[in-house]
Amino acid sequence: MEYTVRVHTTIDDVDERWDDLMTVAQAPVFYRRPFLRAFEKHPLHPVLRTAYLVVEDASGRAHAALPAYLQRDVDPMRVLADHHPHAVGRTVLLSHAWHCYDTVLPVRPGPDSGSAALHAVTALRDLASQWDARLCGVVNADADGPLDPLLTDAGFSGVDIDVGWGMTLDHFEGFEDYLANGLKRKSRYNLTHDLRLADEAGVSVHRTDAENADLDGFVELARATAAKFDNSDYYQRGLFQDFVLALGDCVQVAEYYVGDRMIASALTLTDDTRLHYWAVGYAQEDTPGYSPFYVAFAQVMREAWASGLDWVELGRRNPTFKRRYGLQPRSLRAYFADVVPELE
């Protein structure tokens, strides 16, 4: 099949063919129009230029697509500094944004899907050259996914950078079944103990949309929580609230209160198959005997089974807790290719 690659600079320049492709490819929420539009309007990290690469057939039907971001001095996980120091301080073209922990290459299923995917990867490298990037690549991709052989064969070198965690929801009938049969005795005791003490303390949960949530309160809790990882600016004041508001219906907020004091707040995102436990902030003192983090985790897991979706995604970090509570790890890999700009 003959393909043409078109490069768009805003998501609203791409019509409903983008949405159709993301649906048939079962792409994560990070590839859906609300997330991409929100990131354009309120980029959570600096972006010099944005591109949406769309691989089309002769009829204009989209068969593969990638968002890509030209950036400089954006390296929140020290991937460039540790593995490609020659690119530090230079422009790089990457897919996806660093706040996406589930990078894929959305491809229309079919016998020619491999060719469409290769066209997208080749176009990414060509665009990096046109934009004088020193490096191009894909970050936070599943090391065991279909991108690994595709990118390796295309000359991209891969390196493991983090671990993502999630759970197939059909392993258990619901939260109570998971609690009774999916956890070891000590883990089950710790979780039920905290839930009981939280209930005795009068913890209540308020579920709402972003517009009616206390997003300022969320950001302050999240920044304090992220400080443990020296990463508070992952949640930039003002910018992060604006971004979440721009997500619209694909984000939900669960706020946890004792009286009128918010002790935790959790953001979840949804797509066609997954519930994403995307972000959480919680008080780390003045909650005697129980952890608001445990309480929020339990509530999100209840919501995951109630949603009827196939998978709950819990992102990166905190491996000890996630392993203890039966979540399944996957290695996240970054793939890079050097680009020699025409000016060099």
Side-chain angles (χ1 to χ4, degrees):
M1 186 180 297
E2 294 293 324
Y3 291 116
T4 299
V5 179
R6 299 192 186 276
V7 179
H8 304 268
T9 56
T10 72
I11 188 59
D12 288 332
D13 285 344
V14 192
D15 60 20
E16 66 277 0
R17 290 173 300 162
W18 180 279
D19 309 299
D20 172 66
L21 175 62
M22 297 307 131
T23 298
V24 298
Q26 294 189 333
V29 65
F30 307 106
Y31 292 79
R32 305 305 174 103
R33 191 177 298 269
F35 189 95
L36 297 171
R37 185 186 288 127
F39 194 84
E40 279 184 26
K41 294 178 64 177
H42 311 287
L44 295 175
H45 61 68
V47 172
L48 301 174
R49 300 178 74 172
T50 299
Y52 301 94
L53 292 76
V54 182
V55 180
E56 302 175 356
D57 64 19
S59 71
R61 193 183 198 196
H63 285 259
L66 273 178
Y69 302 95
L70 188 71
Q71 51 200 275
R72 182 189 293 116
D73 296 327
V74 180
D75 192 17
M77 300 165 67
R78 289 191 54 83
V79 176
L80 299 177
D82 292 343
H83 302 287
H84 294 273
H86 64 282
V88 173
R90 301 292 302 277
T91 55
V92 297
L93 184 67
L94 300 180
S95 184
H96 198 318
W98 286 103
H99 283 67
C100 168
Y101 49 70
D102 194 9
T103 296
V104 299
L105 200 173
V107 179
R108 185 174 298 278
D112 208 36
S113 60
S115 176
L118 182 58
H119 273 74
V121 170
T122 301
L124 180 69
R125 197 166 190 166
D126 290 345
L127 183 62
S129 180
Q130 294 171 29
W131 284 359
D132 292 336
R134 186 63 184 86
L135 204 68
C136 72
V138 172
V139 295
N140 291 313
D142 187 343
D144 292 327
L147 270 175
D148 183 77
L150 173 68
L151 292 170
T152 301
D153 290 347
F156 289 70
S157 59
V159 58
D160 290 346
I161 61 171
D162 213 324
V163 177
W165 300 85
M167 177 184 289
T168 302
L169 292 168
D170 62 5
H171 285 177
F172 302 99
E173 293 182 1
F175 178 76
E176 298 303 328
D177 185 27
Y178 158 74
L179 198 62
N181 300 304
L183 301 179
K184 293 183 179 179
R185 181 177 179 179
K186 184 176 181 180
S187 298
R188 179 169 56 251
Y189 171 81
N190 289 340
L191 189 56
T192 56
H193 170 269
D194 278 28
L195 291 175
R196 177 176 57 80
L197 290 186
D199 185 60
E200 292 173 359
V203 174
S204 61
V205 59
H206 175 225
R207 300 176 191 84
T208 185
D209 56 19
E211 186 173 351
N212 293 295
D214 179 4
L215 294 180
D216 292 342
F218 166 82
V219 167
E220 293 311 310
L221 288 171
R223 286 179 62 85
T225 302
K228 295 190 299 182
F229 304 102
D230 194 28
N231 198 25
S232 293
D233 282 343
Y234 194 84
Y235 306 99
Q236 295 185 47
R237 294 184 178 96
L239 175 63
F240 196 85
Q241 292 96 309
D242 290 342
F243 176 84
V244 173
L245 284 169
L247 288 173
D249 294 341
C250 70
V251 61
Q252 290 291 310
V253 186
E255 300 172 338
Y256 302 82
Y257 287 90
V258 175
D260 59 358
R261 176 177 174 243
M262 190 164 72
I263 61 167
S265 181
L267 308 184
T268 58
L269 306 175
T270 54
D271 53 48
D272 296 339
T273 61
R274 283 153 284 202
L275 184 142
H276 299 259
Y277 189 7
W278 188 50
V280 64
Y282 56 94
Q284 300 180 66
E285 55 185 22
D286 299 329
T287 53
Y290 67 93
S291 167
F293 176 77
Y294 276 58
V295 177
F297 167 75
Q299 183 60 42
V300 168
M301 295 300 283
R302 284 193 179 99
E303 292 179 10
W305 271 288
S307 72
L309 297 171
D310 301 329
W311 179 269
V312 59
E313 178 66 49
L314 286 96
R316 300 164 289 203
R317 302 290 174 91
N318 206 356
T320 301
F321 172 86
K322 291 175 180 177
R323 187 176 292 110
R324 183 183 301 142
Y325 282 90
L327 303 174
Q328 301 154 21
R330 68 182 189 284
S331 294
L332 299 179
R333 190 167 289 175
Y335 298 86
F336 293 108
D338 281 310
V339 180
V340 181
E342 295 179 1
L343 297 179
E344 294 190 352

